Amino acid sequence: MTPEPVVRTVGEGVARVTWSVELATEEFRVAVGRVSAVVEEALRVHARVEAWVSPDDAVGQRLATWAGMHREGVMRGVPDPGGAARDLVVYARVVADAPVGEPAGFRALLNSFLPRKRAISQLLLRDPSGRVLMCRLTYKRDWDLPGGVVEVGESPQLAVGREVEEELGLVVAPGRLLLTDWLPSWGGWDDALCLVFDGGVVEESVLETVVREEREIAGVQFCAPDEVRRHAADFTARRVEAALAALADGPGYTESGR
């Protein structure tokens, strides 16, 4: 008979559940029921019950999830008994979690492991001659449109207004969405969606009112399209050109500006 999952206390109020590889060969609902029962029992005397699962163990990850444990992230470089470093996916359930059988509990469980995508909001501001406001950044050589990362739970349209005010001291009401640009994984970054909103036309004299966030913004200036090409990365220049085209053609979708 397959051994029962094992629970041991690993800290004050914290227990860790493990199971044998044989458990994964059982009928899946039976295996989930056995792990779930052990987790629920452990929560009677612990505030938190966790499981550490190998990223390569797809069945183990499914078992932990459907036993009601939320995926919390990956611990990198954890030493194993032989001294080698390995990554482990951390799953946990705490006393305060809503029961999985309730809608809120089930949604929270799904939310813990479904993919999440980073969103970036940028603003297309032009002067009367059609030049685009570009920022020279302190943390990279390439110039970019003003804007930044959308916070969790924040509207992308509100986010770009917040970022422009924080980084440039400009209060601008973002207009319509011009462009959705998908950015593939690159240089250590996960993929992301970049949303470019219409910032309208402002006088060049607006530069005199800019108050730079000096940790991030080294300078700002209006650039003609050929200047954007000289100062920005290729994919950024393509995004700016696509956003300008959308002013007349309507909202567009690109991938890395194409």
Side-chain angles (χ1 to χ4, degrees):
M1 180 177 175
T2 305
E4 289 295 327
V6 174
V7 174
R8 62 188 178 92
T9 300
V10 294
E12 186 173 353
V14 180
R16 189 170 304 143
V17 58
T18 58
W19 52 83
S20 66
V21 293
E22 290 86 356
L23 185 66
T25 66
E26 290 194 358
E27 200 276 323
F28 187 69
R29 286 178 296 180
V30 173
V32 168
R34 293 175 66 182
V35 176
S36 297
V38 168
V39 170
E40 292 301 323
E41 183 64 27
L43 282 173
R44 295 178 185 276
V45 291
H46 297 86
R48 170 186 171 89
V49 180
E50 62 185 26
W52 295 0
V53 185
S54 168
D56 301 323
D57 184 0
V59 174
Q61 292 186 58
R62 288 181 63 218
L63 269 176
T65 297
W66 296 111
M69 289 186 278
H70 293 207
R71 179 180 170 125
E72 295 185 337
V74 178
M75 290 194 303
R76 298 181 300 136
V78 179
D80 64 19
R86 58 176 178 154
D87 295 346
L88 293 168
V89 185
V90 179
Y91 291 84
R93 184 160 187 82
V94 300
V95 170
D97 287 338
V100 179
E102 296 180 1
F106 185 64
R107 288 194 297 268
L109 180 67
L110 290 179
N111 191 60
S112 76
F113 69 84
L114 288 175
R116 301 182 184 188
K117 196 173 296 292
R118 182 175 294 116
I120 301 164
S121 283
Q122 295 186 327
L123 199 65
L124 187 75
L125 278 166
R126 292 98 59 212
D127 71 2
S129 65
R131 296 181 300 170
V132 176
L133 186 69
M134 298 291 291
C135 295
R136 181 160 52 90
L137 305 172
T138 60
Y139 50 87
K140 64 178 182 179
R141 291 181 297 175
D142 304 325
W143 294 25
D144 213 337
L145 291 168
V149 175
V150 181
E151 300 292 344
V152 175
E154 183 180 33
S155 150
Q157 191 173 44
L158 293 179
V160 73
R162 171 186 57 76
E163 285 282 349
V164 169
E165 184 173 2
E166 290 176 357
E167 296 184 350
L168 303 179
L170 299 178
V171 178
V172 180
R176 64 190 175 111
L177 177 66
L178 295 174
L179 185 71
T180 301
D181 185 30
W182 177 69
L183 306 177
S185 301
W186 176 79
W189 287 97
D190 290 339
D191 71 321
L193 289 175
C194 184
L195 307 175
V196 183
F197 291 89
D198 187 2
V201 176
V202 295
E203 296 296 328
E204 185 180 6
S205 59
V206 76
L207 295 179
E208 300 171 8
T209 66
V210 166
V211 180
R212 291 182 293 110
E213 209 307 320
E214 295 186 354
R215 290 174 298 179
E216 297 189 32
I217 308 298
V220 292
Q221 72 179 63
F222 285 101
C223 296
D226 62 325
E227 293 177 302
V228 173
R229 276 279 170 190
R230 285 203 304 271
H231 295 305
D234 287 344
F235 61 87
T236 300
R238 292 193 297 268
R239 184 186 314 130
V240 172
E241 292 163 0
L244 287 169
L247 291 168
D249 299 340
Y253 170 79
T254 55
E255 295 188 353
S256 197
R258 294 188 176 92

